[in-house]
Amino acid sequence: MSSRPSTPPPGWAQDTLTSNLEEFRGNQWATFHNKRSEMRDIIALDGMFDRLLHGAQNPTPILPATFLLRAHSAYRAAVSLAMGGQLYEVQSLLRLCLEHAAYGFFVGDDQAKWTRWMQRDDSDKNKEAVRREFSHGAIKHALKQADATVGGNFEKMYERLIDFGAHPNEQGYSMRTLLERHSNETRISALHLHGEGVPLDFSLKTVAQTAICALKIAHLIYPVRMDLAGITHDLEQIAKGY
C-alpha cells in the first residue's frame, strides 16, 4: 500500500516516527478504499455497538454496560491499527475488547461481585481472591453454561488472539520477524506496518469475528434491547459470512 507524501511543519526535521505515522495514515486510507466489503462489515458492527450503547437510559442490568463501553472503545482502536497495518499489535486490543464483553457478562447484575472486583487492590488478600474468582477459566465456564455456542466461540477467538500477538507466541512473532544468518553476521528484519496481502485479510476478518463474538456475549446480557433495536437480526446476517 502506498502512503501520501509527507511534509513536516516548517522547522521540523523529518524523523522516523513522523514517517511511520504518515505511512500508517496512508495505509488506513488505502485499506478503506481497497477493502470495501471488509470495511462495510466492520463499520456495520461498530454501528451495532453504538445502537446498543449510545444514549441508553438506565439499562437493566446497568453494570455490564460499563464494560461494553470499554469493549467498543477497544474495538475502534483495533480497527484503527488493523487498517494502518499494525497487525501484530492489533491482537492485544481485540483481546481487550473480547475480555471486557466477557467481564460484563460475568459481573451481570451481581453488585457484590462488582464490589469485590472494584476492591481488588485494597489488599493482597483481595487481589488473590479476585484473581481466582475472575480467572479466564471461570469466565469461560460461565459463558459456556449460558450458551455453549457463544462460549465455544469465545474460547476459540481468545486462543487465536493469544497465538497471533495478544501474548508473545510463535505464530504472531513469525508473522513478519525474520532472523537472517550470514557468514559473519545475523540480521533482524521486523515489519512494523503491513500492506496488501494475506496477513491484512486475515486480520480484518479477525477484527470482524471478534466484534461478532463480543456482540453475541452482549446479547446474553441484553437480549430484549438488542432484539427490539434490530441488532440481533443484523448481527445474524453478518455472522453468516464468518
Side-chain angles (χ1 to χ4, degrees), residues 29 39 65 91 120 137 158 160 190-191 213 223 227:
W29 285 113
M39 289 308 303
Q91 310 300 318
R120 175 184 183 274
Y158 185 90
R160 185 201 298 178
L191 184 65
C213 188
D227 290 351

Side-chain angles (χ1 to χ4, degrees), residues 40-49 75 208 211-212 215 235 238:
R40 188 179 302 114
D41 287 348
I42 285 170
I43 291 169
L45 290 163
D46 178 79
M48 293 178 203
F49 276 111
Y75 172 71
I212 291 169
L215 286 163
L235 181 59
I238 285 186

